[in-house]
Short mmCIF file of all heavy atoms in Angstrom, two decimals:
data_model
loop_
_atom_site.label_atom_id
_atom_site.label_comp_id
_atom_site.label_asym_id
_atom_site.label_seq_id
_atom_site.Cartn_x
_atom_site.Cartn_y
_atom_site.Cartn_z
N SER A 1 12.65 5.93 -8.03
CA SER A 1 13.43 6.77 -8.92
C SER A 1 12.68 6.93 -10.23
O SER A 1 11.77 6.16 -10.53
CB SER A 1 14.82 6.18 -9.16
OG SER A 1 14.74 4.91 -9.78
N GLY A 2 13.07 7.92 -11.00
CA GLY A 2 12.39 8.18 -12.26
C GLY A 2 11.51 9.42 -12.17
O GLY A 2 11.89 10.40 -11.52
N ARG A 3 10.35 9.36 -12.79
CA ARG A 3 9.45 10.51 -12.85
C ARG A 3 8.90 10.88 -11.49
O ARG A 3 8.93 10.09 -10.55
CB ARG A 3 8.31 10.24 -13.82
CG ARG A 3 7.40 9.09 -13.42
CD ARG A 3 6.03 9.24 -14.05
NE ARG A 3 5.31 10.37 -13.49
CZ ARG A 3 4.21 10.90 -13.99
NH1 ARG A 3 3.70 10.41 -15.12
NH2 ARG A 3 3.60 11.90 -13.39
N THR A 4 8.35 12.09 -11.40
CA THR A 4 7.73 12.54 -10.17
C THR A 4 6.55 11.66 -9.80
O THR A 4 5.86 11.12 -10.67
CB THR A 4 7.27 14.00 -10.29
OG1 THR A 4 6.65 14.41 -9.07
CG2 THR A 4 6.27 14.15 -11.43
N LEU A 5 6.33 11.52 -8.50
CA LEU A 5 5.26 10.67 -7.99
C LEU A 5 4.03 11.47 -7.56
O LEU A 5 3.14 10.93 -6.91
CB LEU A 5 5.78 9.86 -6.80
CG LEU A 5 6.93 8.91 -7.09
CD1 LEU A 5 7.46 8.31 -5.80
CD2 LEU A 5 6.50 7.82 -8.06
N GLY A 6 3.95 12.73 -7.95
CA GLY A 6 2.89 13.60 -7.47
C GLY A 6 1.48 13.10 -7.71
O GLY A 6 0.60 13.32 -6.89
N GLY A 7 1.25 12.41 -8.80
CA GLY A 7 -0.08 11.91 -9.12
C GLY A 7 -0.31 10.45 -8.78
O GLY A 7 -1.32 9.88 -9.21
N TYR A 8 0.57 9.85 -8.03
CA TYR A 8 0.55 8.41 -7.79
C TYR A 8 0.03 8.02 -6.41
O TYR A 8 0.10 8.80 -5.46
CB TYR A 8 1.97 7.84 -7.91
CG TYR A 8 2.43 7.61 -9.33
CD1 TYR A 8 2.78 8.67 -10.15
CD2 TYR A 8 2.53 6.32 -9.83
CE1 TYR A 8 3.21 8.46 -11.45
CE2 TYR A 8 2.96 6.09 -11.13
CZ TYR A 8 3.30 7.17 -11.93
OH TYR A 8 3.74 6.95 -13.21
N ALA A 9 -0.48 6.81 -6.35
CA ALA A 9 -0.61 6.10 -5.09
C ALA A 9 0.56 5.13 -4.97
O ALA A 9 0.97 4.53 -5.96
CB ALA A 9 -1.92 5.33 -5.02
N MET A 10 1.09 5.01 -3.78
CA MET A 10 2.10 4.00 -3.50
C MET A 10 1.55 3.05 -2.46
O MET A 10 0.91 3.48 -1.50
CB MET A 10 3.40 4.63 -3.04
CG MET A 10 4.05 5.50 -4.10
SD MET A 10 5.72 6.04 -3.67
CE MET A 10 6.60 4.48 -3.73
N ALA A 11 1.78 1.77 -2.67
CA ALA A 11 1.13 0.76 -1.86
C ALA A 11 2.09 -0.36 -1.52
O ALA A 11 3.10 -0.58 -2.19
CB ALA A 11 -0.09 0.18 -2.59
N TRP A 12 1.74 -1.07 -0.46
CA TRP A 12 2.40 -2.32 -0.10
C TRP A 12 1.43 -3.47 -0.29
O TRP A 12 0.27 -3.40 0.15
CB TRP A 12 2.90 -2.31 1.35
CG TRP A 12 4.05 -1.39 1.58
CD1 TRP A 12 4.01 -0.12 2.06
CD2 TRP A 12 5.43 -1.70 1.36
NE1 TRP A 12 5.27 0.40 2.14
CE2 TRP A 12 6.18 -0.55 1.71
CE3 TRP A 12 6.12 -2.82 0.89
CZ2 TRP A 12 7.57 -0.50 1.62
CZ3 TRP A 12 7.50 -2.76 0.79
CH2 TRP A 12 8.20 -1.62 1.15
N PHE A 13 1.89 -4.50 -0.98
CA PHE A 13 1.18 -5.76 -1.12
C PHE A 13 2.05 -6.86 -0.55
O PHE A 13 3.25 -6.69 -0.38
CB PHE A 13 0.87 -6.06 -2.58
CG PHE A 13 -0.19 -5.19 -3.19
CD1 PHE A 13 0.11 -3.90 -3.61
CD2 PHE A 13 -1.48 -5.66 -3.36
CE1 PHE A 13 -0.86 -3.10 -4.18
CE2 PHE A 13 -2.46 -4.87 -3.94
CZ PHE A 13 -2.14 -3.59 -4.34
N ARG A 14 1.44 -8.01 -0.28
CA ARG A 14 2.22 -9.16 0.16
C ARG A 14 1.67 -10.42 -0.50
O ARG A 14 0.50 -10.50 -0.86
CB ARG A 14 2.22 -9.30 1.68
CG ARG A 14 0.86 -9.57 2.31
CD ARG A 14 0.96 -9.47 3.82
NE ARG A 14 -0.28 -9.82 4.48
CZ ARG A 14 -0.49 -9.71 5.79
NH1 ARG A 14 0.48 -9.25 6.58
NH2 ARG A 14 -1.66 -10.06 6.31
N GLN A 15 2.55 -11.42 -0.62
CA GLN A 15 2.17 -12.64 -1.32
C GLN A 15 2.92 -13.83 -0.74
O GLN A 15 4.12 -13.75 -0.48
CB GLN A 15 2.46 -12.52 -2.81
CG GLN A 15 1.93 -13.67 -3.65
CD GLN A 15 2.00 -13.38 -5.13
OE1 GLN A 15 2.85 -12.61 -5.58
NE2 GLN A 15 1.10 -13.97 -5.89
N THR A 16 2.20 -14.93 -0.55
CA THR A 16 2.78 -16.20 -0.14
C THR A 16 2.58 -17.21 -1.26
O THR A 16 1.69 -17.04 -2.11
CB THR A 16 2.16 -16.71 1.16
OG1 THR A 16 0.74 -16.83 1.00
CG2 THR A 16 2.44 -15.77 2.31
N PRO A 17 3.38 -18.28 -1.30
CA PRO A 17 3.26 -19.26 -2.39
C PRO A 17 1.85 -19.82 -2.52
O PRO A 17 1.23 -20.22 -1.53
CB PRO A 17 4.25 -20.35 -1.99
CG PRO A 17 5.28 -19.63 -1.18
CD PRO A 17 4.50 -18.60 -0.41
N GLY A 18 1.33 -19.84 -3.74
CA GLY A 18 0.03 -20.40 -4.01
C GLY A 18 -1.14 -19.49 -3.72
O GLY A 18 -2.29 -19.90 -3.90
N LYS A 19 -0.88 -18.27 -3.26
CA LYS A 19 -1.95 -17.34 -2.93
C LYS A 19 -1.84 -16.09 -3.78
O LYS A 19 -0.77 -15.74 -4.28
CB LYS A 19 -1.90 -16.98 -1.45
CG LYS A 19 -2.11 -18.15 -0.51
CD LYS A 19 -2.10 -17.71 0.94
CE LYS A 19 -2.32 -18.88 1.88
NZ LYS A 19 -2.31 -18.47 3.30
N GLU A 20 -2.97 -15.40 -3.92
CA GLU A 20 -2.99 -14.15 -4.66
C GLU A 20 -2.29 -13.05 -3.88
O GLU A 20 -2.22 -13.09 -2.65
CB GLU A 20 -4.42 -13.74 -4.98
CG GLU A 20 -5.15 -14.67 -5.92
CD GLU A 20 -6.53 -14.16 -6.30
OE1 GLU A 20 -6.97 -13.14 -5.74
OE2 GLU A 20 -7.16 -14.77 -7.17
N ARG A 21 -1.79 -12.09 -4.62
CA ARG A 21 -1.18 -10.94 -3.99
C ARG A 21 -2.22 -10.16 -3.20
O ARG A 21 -3.30 -9.83 -3.71
CB ARG A 21 -0.52 -10.06 -5.06
CG ARG A 21 0.46 -9.06 -4.51
CD ARG A 21 1.40 -8.56 -5.61
NE ARG A 21 2.26 -9.63 -6.11
CZ ARG A 21 3.24 -9.45 -6.99
NH1 ARG A 21 3.50 -8.24 -7.47
NH2 ARG A 21 3.97 -10.49 -7.40
N GLU A 22 -1.91 -9.83 -1.95
CA GLU A 22 -2.85 -9.25 -1.01
C GLU A 22 -2.49 -7.80 -0.72
O GLU A 22 -1.35 -7.48 -0.39
CB GLU A 22 -2.85 -10.05 0.29
CG GLU A 22 -3.72 -9.47 1.40
CD GLU A 22 -3.50 -10.16 2.73
OE1 GLU A 22 -2.55 -10.95 2.85
OE2 GLU A 22 -4.30 -9.90 3.66
N PHE A 23 -3.48 -6.93 -0.81
CA PHE A 23 -3.30 -5.52 -0.46
C PHE A 23 -3.06 -5.37 1.02
O PHE A 23 -3.74 -5.99 1.84
CB PHE A 23 -4.54 -4.72 -0.88
CG PHE A 23 -4.56 -3.32 -0.38
CD1 PHE A 23 -3.83 -2.33 -1.01
CD2 PHE A 23 -5.33 -2.97 0.72
CE1 PHE A 23 -3.85 -1.02 -0.55
CE2 PHE A 23 -5.37 -1.67 1.19
CZ PHE A 23 -4.62 -0.69 0.55
N VAL A 24 -2.11 -4.51 1.39
CA VAL A 24 -1.80 -4.23 2.79
C VAL A 24 -2.17 -2.79 3.14
O VAL A 24 -2.93 -2.54 4.07
CB VAL A 24 -0.33 -4.49 3.10
CG1 VAL A 24 -0.03 -4.18 4.57
CG2 VAL A 24 0.04 -5.94 2.79
N VAL A 25 -1.62 -1.83 2.40
CA VAL A 25 -1.86 -0.42 2.69
C VAL A 25 -1.40 0.42 1.50
O VAL A 25 -0.52 0.00 0.74
CB VAL A 25 -1.10 0.01 3.97
CG1 VAL A 25 0.40 -0.15 3.80
CG2 VAL A 25 -1.46 1.42 4.39
N LEU A 26 -2.01 1.59 1.33
CA LEU A 26 -1.55 2.54 0.33
C LEU A 26 -1.47 3.94 0.92
O LEU A 26 -2.07 4.24 1.95
CB LEU A 26 -2.46 2.55 -0.91
CG LEU A 26 -3.90 3.06 -0.80
CD1 LEU A 26 -3.99 4.58 -0.82
CD2 LEU A 26 -4.75 2.50 -1.95
N ILE A 27 -0.71 4.77 0.24
CA ILE A 27 -0.63 6.18 0.58
C ILE A 27 -0.63 6.99 -0.71
O ILE A 27 0.07 6.64 -1.66
CB ILE A 27 0.61 6.50 1.45
CG1 ILE A 27 0.59 7.96 1.90
CG2 ILE A 27 1.91 6.16 0.73
CD1 ILE A 27 1.59 8.24 3.03
N ARG A 28 -1.43 8.03 -0.76
CA ARG A 28 -1.41 8.95 -1.89
C ARG A 28 -0.18 9.84 -1.74
O ARG A 28 -0.01 10.51 -0.71
CB ARG A 28 -2.68 9.80 -1.93
CG ARG A 28 -3.98 8.99 -1.98
CD ARG A 28 -4.14 8.30 -3.31
NE ARG A 28 -5.34 7.47 -3.33
CZ ARG A 28 -5.68 6.67 -4.33
NH1 ARG A 28 -4.92 6.60 -5.42
NH2 ARG A 28 -6.78 5.93 -4.25
N TRP A 29 0.69 9.82 -2.74
CA TRP A 29 1.99 10.44 -2.59
C TRP A 29 1.90 11.92 -2.27
O TRP A 29 2.59 12.41 -1.37
CB TRP A 29 2.82 10.24 -3.87
CG TRP A 29 4.21 10.74 -3.71
CD1 TRP A 29 4.76 11.84 -4.29
CD2 TRP A 29 5.24 10.17 -2.89
NE1 TRP A 29 6.07 11.99 -3.89
CE2 TRP A 29 6.38 10.98 -3.04
CE3 TRP A 29 5.28 9.05 -2.06
CZ2 TRP A 29 7.57 10.71 -2.37
CZ3 TRP A 29 6.47 8.78 -1.39
CH2 TRP A 29 7.59 9.60 -1.55
N HIS A 30 1.04 12.66 -2.97
CA HIS A 30 0.97 14.09 -2.78
C HIS A 30 0.20 14.48 -1.51
O HIS A 30 0.65 15.32 -0.74
CB HIS A 30 0.34 14.76 -3.99
CG HIS A 30 0.21 16.24 -3.86
ND1 HIS A 30 1.31 17.08 -3.82
CD2 HIS A 30 -0.87 17.05 -3.74
CE1 HIS A 30 0.92 18.33 -3.69
NE2 HIS A 30 -0.41 18.34 -3.64
N THR A 31 -0.96 13.88 -1.30
CA THR A 31 -1.83 14.28 -0.21
C THR A 31 -1.52 13.59 1.11
O THR A 31 -1.86 14.10 2.18
CB THR A 31 -3.30 14.01 -0.54
OG1 THR A 31 -3.52 12.60 -0.63
CG2 THR A 31 -3.68 14.67 -1.86
N GLY A 32 -0.91 12.43 1.06
CA GLY A 32 -0.65 11.65 2.26
C GLY A 32 -1.82 10.86 2.77
O GLY A 32 -1.72 10.24 3.84
N VAL A 33 -2.93 10.86 2.05
CA VAL A 33 -4.10 10.08 2.46
C VAL A 33 -3.75 8.60 2.42
O VAL A 33 -3.13 8.12 1.47
CB VAL A 33 -5.30 10.38 1.55
CG1 VAL A 33 -6.46 9.44 1.86
CG2 VAL A 33 -5.74 11.82 1.72
N THR A 34 -4.16 7.87 3.45
CA THR A 34 -3.83 6.46 3.58
C THR A 34 -5.07 5.59 3.58
O THR A 34 -6.18 6.05 3.85
CB THR A 34 -3.03 6.20 4.87
OG1 THR A 34 -3.82 6.60 6.00
CG2 THR A 34 -1.73 6.97 4.86
N ASP A 35 -4.87 4.32 3.30
CA ASP A 35 -5.93 3.32 3.35
C ASP A 35 -5.30 2.01 3.78
O ASP A 35 -4.39 1.52 3.12
CB ASP A 35 -6.62 3.18 1.99
CG ASP A 35 -7.78 2.20 2.02
OD1 ASP A 35 -8.47 2.12 3.04
OD2 ASP A 35 -8.01 1.52 0.99
N TYR A 36 -5.79 1.44 4.89
CA TYR A 36 -5.23 0.22 5.45
C TYR A 36 -6.18 -0.95 5.29
O TYR A 36 -7.38 -0.82 5.52
CB TYR A 36 -4.94 0.40 6.94
CG TYR A 36 -3.80 1.32 7.26
CD1 TYR A 36 -3.99 2.69 7.35
CD2 TYR A 36 -2.53 0.81 7.50
CE1 TYR A 36 -2.95 3.54 7.66
CE2 TYR A 36 -1.48 1.65 7.82
CZ TYR A 36 -1.69 3.01 7.89
OH TYR A 36 -0.65 3.85 8.21
N ALA A 37 -5.63 -2.10 4.93
CA ALA A 37 -6.39 -3.33 5.00
C ALA A 37 -6.67 -3.66 6.46
O ALA A 37 -5.93 -3.24 7.36
CB ALA A 37 -5.62 -4.47 4.34
N ASP A 38 -7.74 -4.42 6.70
CA ASP A 38 -8.09 -4.79 8.07
C ASP A 38 -6.94 -5.52 8.76
O ASP A 38 -6.73 -5.36 9.97
CB ASP A 38 -9.34 -5.65 8.09
CG ASP A 38 -10.60 -4.88 7.76
OD1 ASP A 38 -10.58 -3.63 7.83
OD2 ASP A 38 -11.62 -5.51 7.44
N SER A 39 -6.20 -6.31 8.02
CA SER A 39 -5.10 -7.07 8.60
C SER A 39 -3.97 -6.19 9.11
O SER A 39 -3.18 -6.63 9.95
CB SER A 39 -4.55 -8.06 7.56
OG SER A 39 -4.05 -7.37 6.43
N ALA A 40 -3.90 -4.95 8.62
CA ALA A 40 -2.82 -4.05 8.98
C ALA A 40 -3.22 -2.98 9.99
O ALA A 40 -2.35 -2.40 10.65
CB ALA A 40 -2.28 -3.37 7.73
N LYS A 41 -4.50 -2.72 10.12
CA LYS A 41 -4.97 -1.66 10.99
C LYS A 41 -4.54 -1.89 12.43
O LYS A 41 -4.68 -2.98 12.97
CB LYS A 41 -6.49 -1.54 10.93
CG LYS A 41 -7.01 -0.99 9.62
CD LYS A 41 -8.54 -0.94 9.62
CE LYS A 41 -9.07 -0.40 8.30
NZ LYS A 41 -10.55 -0.40 8.26
N GLY A 42 -3.98 -0.85 13.04
CA GLY A 42 -3.56 -0.92 14.42
C GLY A 42 -2.19 -1.50 14.64
O GLY A 42 -1.66 -1.40 15.76
N ARG A 43 -1.60 -2.10 13.62
CA ARG A 43 -0.28 -2.71 13.75
C ARG A 43 0.75 -2.13 12.80
O ARG A 43 1.92 -2.05 13.15
CB ARG A 43 -0.37 -4.22 13.52
CG ARG A 43 -1.27 -4.96 14.50
CD ARG A 43 -1.12 -6.46 14.36
NE ARG A 43 -1.47 -6.92 13.02
CZ ARG A 43 -0.68 -7.67 12.25
NH1 ARG A 43 0.51 -8.05 12.70
NH2 ARG A 43 -1.08 -8.05 11.05
N PHE A 44 0.32 -1.77 11.60
CA PHE A 44 1.24 -1.28 10.57
C PHE A 44 1.00 0.21 10.35
O PHE A 44 -0.13 0.70 10.47
CB PHE A 44 1.02 -2.00 9.24
CG PHE A 44 1.33 -3.47 9.25
CD1 PHE A 44 1.16 -4.22 8.09
CD2 PHE A 44 1.81 -4.12 10.39
CE1 PHE A 44 1.45 -5.57 8.07
CE2 PHE A 44 2.09 -5.47 10.39
CZ PHE A 44 1.91 -6.20 9.22
N THR A 45 2.07 0.91 9.99
CA THR A 45 1.98 2.33 9.68
C THR A 45 2.76 2.62 8.41
O THR A 45 3.94 2.27 8.32
CB THR A 45 2.52 3.20 10.82
OG1 THR A 45 1.81 2.92 12.03
CG2 THR A 45 2.36 4.68 10.48
#
């Protein structure tokens, strides 16, 4: 909610106790271009 997301990337990260936040996947809001971490490729969409 809030301002338009046209110029944004939206991403999923994950984190477990004692570990750094880990990138999972992103999508460019306007274009739909995606980028997957190796851990997510083939399993997550």
Side-chain angles (χ1 to χ4, degrees):
S1 61
R3 63 156 291 167
T4 179
L5 299 173
Y8 280 74
M10 296 189 68
W12 290 97
F13 289 79
R14 64 189 184 186
Q15 188 169 27
T16 57
K19 297 182 180 180
E20 294 185 354
R21 196 161 294 186
E22 176 190 10
F23 171 79
V24 180
V25 62
L26 67 80
I27 186 166
R28 303 290 176 185
W29 186 251
H30 179 67
T31 66
V33 173
T34 60
D35 183 35
Y36 290 85
D38 288 343
S39 61
K41 289 179 181 177
R43 299 190 300 127
F44 295 180
T45 303

